[in-house]
Amino acid sequence: MKNFRITFLILFITSICYAQTEYKTTQGLIFKVGDTIQIGQPMGISLSVGHWKAVFTKKGREITNNNLINKKVVVNKIENMDGITRFHFRIFSSDFYANIDEALAKGEIINPYNKPNNSTNELDKYDKLKKAKELFDSGVLTKEEFEIEKKKILALEK
């Protein structure tokens, strides 16, 4: 009976709180321990009265220190507690955690994949030009149609 209680207690505790090495967010982003994330801006009327709603001190206190804005931190632990996934990190010699899905949704953690990627746009542009040229070379497009398509594609970059 004693072994059953110990086993049950271990299973219960691990189901409530367990550490992970990676996490796929509700937005479909995959983060791993060791990844660098960037702190965003707190919620509030203005920066002077704002405070984070999803980023906390290790003791669970709300943060009002605006010195965290745009700081890059390294995820040192990923933990799921009661169905909420937290990323733990250290900055200014203090430990913090973020409820990652909520923090991403509120902009308190900056989504690293939302930045405009000009190189991708350039590749798309050149792929479209190449396809138009292939259609012209194979006789599907006339010279005039090709020139019109080329102008449209090049106009996309502006």
Side-chain angles (χ1 to χ4, degrees):
M1 187 65 157
K2 185 176 181 181
N3 286 340
F4 174 76
R5 287 182 190 166
I6 292 172
T7 304
F8 177 76
L9 184 60
I10 290 171
L11 289 173
F12 179 74
I13 290 171
T14 56
S15 69
I16 293 174
C17 175
Y18 64 92
Q20 302 169 230
T21 57
E22 72 176 38
Y23 175 67
K24 184 175 183 179
T25 68
T26 56
Q27 296 178 4
L29 306 173
I30 297 175
F31 290 96
K32 298 177 182 176
V33 170
D35 282 353
T36 299
I37 58 175
Q38 186 173 353
I39 307 297
Q41 296 204 359
M43 303 297 289
I45 299 167
S46 69
L47 291 180
S48 62
V49 295
H51 63 277
W52 279 265
K53 302 283 186 187
V55 178
F56 303 94
T57 66
K58 188 174 182 180
K59 296 178 181 178
R61 294 188 188 125
E62 289 185 343
I63 303 166
T64 57
N65 183 346
N66 289 332
N67 291 329
L68 295 176
I69 296 171
N70 292 325
K71 296 293 184 203
K72 292 185 178 184
V73 298
V74 176
V75 176
N76 59 34
K77 180 179 173 185
I78 300 173
E79 168 186 66
N80 187 302
M81 185 169 240
D82 297 327
I84 297 172
T85 300
R86 297 175 173 175
F87 283 13
H88 293 258
F89 56 91
R90 189 168 179 79
I91 188 169
F92 304 131
S93 301
S94 297
D95 293 315
F96 296 89
Y97 70 86
N99 296 338
I100 192 62
D101 288 308
E102 182 182 0
L104 281 166
K106 293 179 183 225
E108 295 180 15
I109 298 292
I110 296 171
N111 180 339
Y113 304 104
N114 272 354
K115 296 175 183 170
N117 187 344
N118 292 337
S119 63
T120 301
N121 293 340
E122 289 290 314
L123 289 175
D124 290 345
K125 177 176 70 172
Y126 292 122
D127 285 341
K128 289 176 184 177
L129 279 172
K130 181 180 175 185
K131 182 67 174 170
K133 176 70 168 128
E134 288 171 358
L135 292 170
F136 170 69
D137 290 342
S138 65
V140 174
L141 292 177
T142 66
K143 175 85 171 154
E144 293 166 6
E145 291 170 327
F146 172 70
E147 291 300 324
I148 290 169
E149 286 301 311
K150 187 167 86 170
K151 286 179 184 176
K152 286 182 191 175
I153 293 166
L154 294 174
L156 292 176
E157 71 180 89
K158 295 177 183 177

